[in-house]
Amino acid sequence: AQPASSALRSRGLPAPSAVRPASAQPSSAKRVHNRDAHHQIEDMIEHARQQELNMMKQRLAAIRTTEERLQSRNREITHREVQVRQQEAVLAERESLLAQRELGLEAALQDVDAKRKEVSVLNEEMQM
């Protein structure tokens, strides 16, 4: 005859000293339910983390796209500014040349006026 605890253990049952009252010992089904609920909570937390991570990645991608667009726009503006400065320099040079030509034309007109006066004076002298 085996002691009662050995006989119970050989059948896979706990020894009488290990048995708790029903209120203190959760049932096997309750333990499985608690474990499943715990896994569901962990899965929900992980899912929420993944969603937050994906949203952060999307925000980062949007920020990078915006930054790239702004950098591209800035390069365009800088290029246009360089073109405008070059055009301004060309225009300033042309204005300077035109001003010189205008001065040259005014001097030529004064010379022509002076020559006309000389011719007029000579004509008067010849008519006398």
Side-chain angles (χ1 to χ4, degrees), residues 104-119:
L105 288 174
E106 286 178 14
L109 281 174
Q110 289 174 356
D111 285 348
V112 167
D113 284 343
K115 298 285 182 198
R116 280 186 186 156
K117 286 180 184 175
E118 285 179 32
V119 168

Side-chain angles (χ1 to χ4, degrees), residues 5-109:
S5 61
S6 300
L8 289 172
R9 264 188 262 136
S10 68
R11 294 185 200 148
L13 299 172
S17 62
V19 176
R20 290 192 251 165
S23 62
Q25 177 102 12
S27 69
S28 176
K30 189 168 188 162
R31 280 194 303 267
V32 169
H33 173 74
N34 287 346
R35 186 178 61 231
D36 289 347
H38 181 72
H39 286 305
Q40 283 180 340
I41 291 170
E42 286 178 342
D43 290 346
M44 289 169 55
I45 290 171
E46 183 60 27
H47 181 70
R49 283 184 184 147
Q50 286 299 319
Q51 282 184 322
E52 187 175 357
L53 180 62
N54 288 338
M55 286 174 52
M56 292 172 91
K57 286 179 180 178
Q58 288 173 353
R59 283 189 213 130
L60 181 60
I63 289 169
R64 285 184 177 148
T65 300
T66 301
E67 183 180 13
E68 288 169 3
R69 265 192 254 124
L70 290 173
Q71 287 175 349
S72 175
R73 183 76 176 127
N74 193 28
R75 284 190 297 271
E76 288 174 22
I77 290 170
T78 301
H79 179 69
R80 287 182 185 162
E81 286 175 343
V82 168
Q83 287 178 328
V84 166
R85 283 191 207 109
Q86 290 171 343
Q87 289 172 349
E88 286 174 341
V90 167
L91 289 175
E93 186 177 332
R94 287 180 182 170
E95 285 177 353
S96 174
L97 290 173
L98 286 174
Q100 289 173 4
R101 286 182 186 167
E102 188 177 331
L103 289 174
L105 288 174
E106 286 178 14
L109 281 174

